[in-house]
Amino acid sequence: MTGQAPSARPLPMAALAACLIATALAGCATGDRPDVMATFYPLQYLTQRVAGDGYTVESVVEPGTEPHEYQLTPTDVQNVNKAKLLVIQGANFEGWTDNVDQKNVVTASRGIALLENPEEEERDEVPQDPHTWLDPVFAQAMVRNIQQGLANTFPEDAGNFKANADRLVEDLQQLHTEFEAGLADCRKPIAITNHAAFAYMAERYGFTMIAISGLAPDAEPSAQTIKEVQDKAKEHGVKVIFFEDLVEPRVVNMIAENVGAQTRVLSPVEAIVPGTATEGKDYFGVMRMNLENLREGLECA
Ligand SMILES: [Zn+2]
């Protein structure tokens, strides 16, 4: 804690005074702008937890918006350029980073052994699978990268960031043990999902993801793909097909009806979506809902 030592960046006098009066808690980081911009929800959540309440961390992609192939608005560009730090996922998840002037960037997926994009025809554009936040073990590595980025940017609070990151890593490890135990003994080996977001989770916990569309959630699957998915579902006697909160479940519903299965949500945690199953939840709440639904779909003991 460096509550008595406002951080090095200049604040307007009024803001500085308000800050000195209002907060004895943390490094007076709240000005009229975000201190840190993260590109989308999971990074914003993890970064906010590591940074602590004294820092404002905002998301470029707003709640309810699908982050794949997001187009920046002029306000986004301003916010990103004004922030002291930009947190990105990397692995080509953000195709727009060339359009901003922010030089202080931390890549959350740095150092993680990325899988190849499961969709062969998308590999020219997106060679690797970016969805590492859906594996609670890889999410711990992301937290350490974010901690490093914050500590480099706001060195006066490095001790806080470490303590917060340690707690968050403990919580993620707890989530990992829940997934391990919950998915240890399942009768069905496959999860049919809308988009190919769950390869890291599937690899970690020993099931096979079969995605109806590729890495882009709203790609329209071919008749051939739909037939293959239905054949797999029938072969394995699948009773649950997974849809996701941000995408109209038309194709999922059709496949479920054709094979006599029900549908459950399996969220890629790419956003918290008002009016859906993720509303009011945070990363951990959505992940635990995912675990419950996976246990039902995979018929786990
Ligand atoms: Zn995705």
Side-chain angles (χ1 to χ4, degrees):
M1 277 294 166
T2 54
Q4 72 280 30
S7 47
R9 85 215 83 143
L11 279 171
M13 276 316 288
L16 185 57
C19 181
L20 290 172
I21 293 161
T23 166
L25 292 173
C28 266
T30 46
D32 57 350
R33 61 178 190 230
D35 301 299
V36 181
M37 287 299 286
T39 51
F40 72 125
Y41 172 73
L43 297 183
Q44 182 200 14
Y45 175 79
L46 297 175
T47 305
Q48 185 71 70
R49 284 212 37 192
V50 177
D53 291 342
Y55 289 86
T56 44
V57 180
E58 289 182 6
S59 172
V60 175
V61 181
E62 288 185 3
T65 304
E66 165 52 51
H68 287 268
E69 294 166 37
Y70 181 74
Q71 304 285 329
L72 287 180
T73 67
T75 311
D76 292 335
V77 174
Q78 273 178 11
N79 285 337
V80 167
N81 290 345
K82 274 197 229 156
K84 298 287 185 228
L85 174 65
L86 172 65
V87 182
I88 68 169
Q89 176 63 13
N92 284 44
F93 190 70
E94 299 90 352
W96 47 259
T97 43
D98 289 348
N99 301 333
V100 296
D101 290 329
Q102 180 59 256
K103 297 285 181 283
N104 194 18
V105 179
V106 61
T107 302
S109 68
R110 192 187 61 212
I112 294 174
L114 297 173
L115 297 172
E116 203 168 41
N117 184 335
E119 293 299 309
E120 217 179 313
E121 57 272 30
E122 293 176 359
R123 274 181 209 150
D124 282 348
E125 243 183 282
V126 185
Q128 291 163 318
D129 180 351
H131 297 90
T132 56
W133 63 91
L134 290 164
D135 172 354
V137 175
F138 282 159
Q140 296 175 39
M142 294 167 62
V143 167
R144 294 306 182 189
N145 287 331
I146 291 167
Q147 178 199 338
Q148 191 64 56
L150 285 166
N152 291 344
T153 310
F154 310 103
E156 68 277 17
D157 271 337
N160 272 342
F161 301 148
K162 179 173 186 312
N164 293 341
D166 287 351
R167 264 194 300 275
L168 181 50
V169 162
E170 258 174 49
D171 291 349
L172 288 164
Q173 186 61 20
Q174 167 65 27
L175 183 67
H176 165 58
T177 60
E178 289 172 31
F179 266 81
E180 243 183 355
L183 300 177
D185 183 11
C186 307
R187 290 171 57 196
K188 297 283 188 262
I190 64 168
I192 297 175
T193 69
N194 178 65
H195 93 284
F198 302 92
Y200 294 102
M201 184 189 277
E203 177 148 307
R204 181 73 64 196
Y205 302 111
F207 62 92
T208 300
M209 170 192 68
I210 296 175
I212 298 168
S213 66
L215 277 189
D218 43 11
E220 191 73 15
S222 65
Q224 175 62 25
T225 301
I226 291 174
K227 184 181 178 304
E228 283 168 15
V229 169
Q230 290 182 171
D231 288 348
K232 282 280 183 200
K234 285 180 193 155
E235 180 192 330
H236 291 282
V238 164
K239 302 277 191 314
V240 172
I241 313 267
F242 296 103
F243 69 100
E244 59 188 76
D245 31 340
L246 275 174
V247 179
E248 175 64 40
R250 190 178 56 82
V251 177
V252 170
N253 287 344
M254 182 191 75
I255 290 173
E257 196 169 313
N258 288 347
V259 302
Q262 296 185 311
T263 61
R264 291 288 180 274
V265 71
L266 188 63
S267 169
V269 205
E270 288 171 0
I272 299 299
V273 187
T276 74
T278 60
E279 178 167 352
K281 294 185 174 69
D282 64 10
Y283 171 87
F284 285 94
V286 178
M287 287 293 276
R288 290 193 167 103
M289 174 188 72
N290 281 344
L291 175 57
E292 208 172 293
N293 289 342
L294 272 173
R295 282 176 45 73
E296 184 184 351
L298 302 181
E299 299 176 25
C300 306

